[in-house]
Amino acid sequence: MNDELSPILKLPTDGWDWEVSQPEWMLERLIPAKSIGMLFGPSNAGKSHLVCDLILDCLAGQPTWQGIPLTGGDVVMFSESHGHIKARLKAYRNHKNAAIKHRMHTIPTMGIETKDMSDLAIWVYQLPRPPVLMVFDTLATAFAIEENDNKEASKLIKALEDWILPAMDERGTIMLVHHTSKISEGKTARGASALIGNIDYSINCQWDEVSERTMAKWDKDRWRLVSEPPQWSGAAKRVPVAFTNGDTEMMVLDWSLYTEKDAEAARELQKDLQMQVAQDAAKQEINRVITRFGKAYLRLARKSDIPAAHENHKVSLRGLFDNKLTEPVKDWLLQQLDAPEYVFNRKNERIGVVIKEGDFEKPDKPKPL
């Protein structure tokens, strides 16, 4: 008779004993067992590359992924580009030289309706072994929901929790691959807030202009047991792949931990490259003026007038590079001159320098330490 009672009438009436345990982990301190997470980013940002890298370590039974303790096992992946994702998985297998120990199930996305989740659970129960990882790439093509509707998004997450997670490995996780909203410039996942609010973890995958690499950063961590969320960079590499009808090369991303020290080094390198480009542009402009007039006048004081005698061969650096680099480039140019011919105003203030043919024929002098 009790089995017919409402779940609400079955709620316990005794108090909590204040005992609590940390979860088991699929990925130590980042992906809890029996969890749902999201990998999101703009189109062609490298989301599927990160997924493939994780999948291969799961299938190979590797003890860690990117140095973090990992639970390996069977994997199920629903993908919208089915043939391409299989080719990419094979490329990652070759890249990682992985000996596959577990089973991989790859299936085209099907636009599953929330009401049919029980049927999907029956299929999962029929698999030879319960999967430790189930990927839906992408959420938009995997499920027939209105992703901007919070009610539908909440129902989807609840259905995955009620039907699919119980059918998976005891440490299993579901990973939803999703796109970002254009308004957020790739910083947040598009669609209903419930898609982010109801999940356990998320990873943001972006192309980074400074490092010129794909970056993946742990974005949401419900448990927050890691003091500094990890970040990885992916460097492009091509590896050979054998198809049934010929051989070719596929691109993979070689992922590695990316620390704040690495980020600072990348920023410094970017600054150096920008400075080099600005120096080259300034030298070319000065040499262009010298070729035409035999000499060039470079103004050193921002608000000073150009003497009439130098008006026709003045040099303008405006528009050649970022204005923030103008003064550093001028300082660098002066370091290259053996005997600068300065021009002074009536107050004996240095307002410019005359540069003549041959001043830049010598190799650049090193910057003083």
Side-chain angles (χ1 to χ4, degrees):
M1 190 72 176
N2 278 347
D3 291 341
E4 299 176 4
L5 293 176
S6 162
I8 294 177
L9 297 177
K10 296 180 182 179
L11 293 175
T13 55
D14 52 338
W16 174 42
D17 61 5
W18 290 93
E19 294 294 329
V20 64
S21 300
Q22 293 184 26
E24 298 294 322
W25 300 99
M26 186 269 189
L27 186 66
E28 185 73 23
R29 292 178 174 243
L30 289 173
I31 299 182
K34 300 294 185 181
S35 63
I36 300 174
M38 180 180 290
L39 170 62
F40 67 94
S43 297
N44 301 316
K47 302 184 294 295
S48 295
H49 280 282
L50 189 71
V51 168
C52 287
D53 195 86
L54 174 61
I55 285 174
L56 259 296
D57 280 2
C58 282
L59 295 175
Q62 295 291 346
T64 64
W65 178 68
Q66 299 297 325
I68 304 170
L70 171 72
T71 299
D74 289 5
V75 177
V76 173
M77 184 176 192
F78 291 86
S79 61
E80 58 186 11
S81 301
H82 192 224
H84 185 259
I85 204 68
K86 289 196 290 186
R88 182 171 289 173
L89 283 166
K90 193 164 185 179
Y92 271 86
R93 178 182 180 179
N94 294 349
H95 168 60
K96 299 172 82 73
N97 194 26
I100 304 301
K101 297 180 180 179
H102 301 287
R103 191 184 299 262
M104 178 73 202
H105 305 273
T106 63
I107 305 155
T109 52
M110 303 170 62
I112 300 168
E113 295 188 22
T114 303
K115 65 182 179 63
D116 296 324
M117 205 67 72
S118 58
D119 292 337
L120 178 59
I122 292 173
W123 176 80
V124 176
Y125 278 116
Q126 291 176 344
L127 295 176
R129 290 186 299 270
V132 74
L133 173 62
M134 184 176 292
V135 179
F136 294 94
D137 183 8
T138 61
L139 182 145
T141 58
F143 302 105
I145 69 163
E146 171 49 60
E147 64 182 43
N148 293 305
D149 188 316
N150 268 312
K151 189 174 182 179
E152 287 196 33
S154 296
K155 284 183 176 179
L156 171 64
I157 301 300
K158 187 69 167 62
L160 290 171
E161 290 176 343
D162 290 348
W163 291 102
I164 309 305
L165 281 179
M168 295 179 63
D169 184 274
E170 62 181 11
R171 295 198 180 189
T173 187
I174 295 171
M175 185 177 290
L176 309 173
V177 181
H178 196 31
H179 293 289
T180 51
S181 64
K182 294 181 180 179
I183 295 178
S184 71
E185 298 181 346
K187 296 179 181 178
T188 60
R190 76 184 187 199
S193 59
L195 290 173
I196 288 292
N198 293 338
I199 59 176
D200 298 291
Y201 63 91
S202 66
I203 310 166
N204 190 349
C205 197
Q206 302 277 336
W207 172 257
D208 183 66
E209 295 289 348
V210 175
S211 63
E212 294 187 338
R213 290 188 175 194
T214 296
M215 307 297 298
K217 185 175 183 179
W218 219 263
D219 191 67
K220 177 180 180 178
D221 174 10
R222 191 183 293 278
W223 280 84
R224 297 185 182 277
L225 297 179
V226 178
S227 58
E228 184 177 346
Q231 181 172 236
W232 301 278
S233 69
K237 180 180 180 181
R238 299 194 73 83
V239 297
V241 178
F243 290 78
T244 58
N245 54 351
D247 298 343
T248 188
E249 288 189 340
M250 294 281 295
M251 189 185 80
V252 300
L253 296 182
D254 192 12
W255 294 95
S256 60
L257 188 65
Y258 194 78
T259 65
E260 183 55 38
K261 184 177 180 180
D262 296 325
E264 181 61 29
R267 289 191 289 267
E268 289 301 318
L269 178 60
Q270 184 73 2
K271 289 179 183 178
D272 290 344
L273 291 174
Q274 290 174 344
M275 186 63 174
Q276 182 64 58
V277 170
Q279 291 169 358
D280 291 344
K283 285 175 60 174
Q284 290 177 15
E285 176 63 13
I286 290 172
N287 285 328
R288 184 190 68 80
V289 175
I290 290 174
T291 299
R292 183 176 180 185
F293 299 103
K295 59 183 176 179
Y297 177 81
L298 181 64
R299 182 166 56 182
L300 299 179
R302 292 181 182 178
K303 296 183 180 181
S304 64
D305 294 330
I306 298 176
H310 300 296
E311 181 66 37
N312 73 328
H313 53 271
K314 64 184 178 182
V315 170
S316 176
L317 301 182
R318 180 177 296 179
L320 296 178
F321 43 78
D322 190 334
N323 287 335
K324 294 179 181 179
L325 295 175
T326 300
E327 295 307 314
V329 167
K330 286 181 180 179
D331 293 340
W332 174 83
L333 287 169
L334 295 178
Q335 293 173 19
Q336 311 310 307
L337 306 176
D338 284 331
E341 184 182 326
Y342 291 117
V343 176
F344 299 86
N345 62 13
R346 293 179 181 179
K347 296 180 181 180
N348 203 33
E349 297 169 331
R350 194 169 65 184
I351 61 172
V353 63
V354 177
I355 304 173
K356 297 179 180 178
E357 187 175 2
D359 283 342
F360 291 132
E361 292 179 354
K362 307 175 293 299
D364 292 345
K365 298 176 183 178
K367 295 180 181 179
L369 297 177

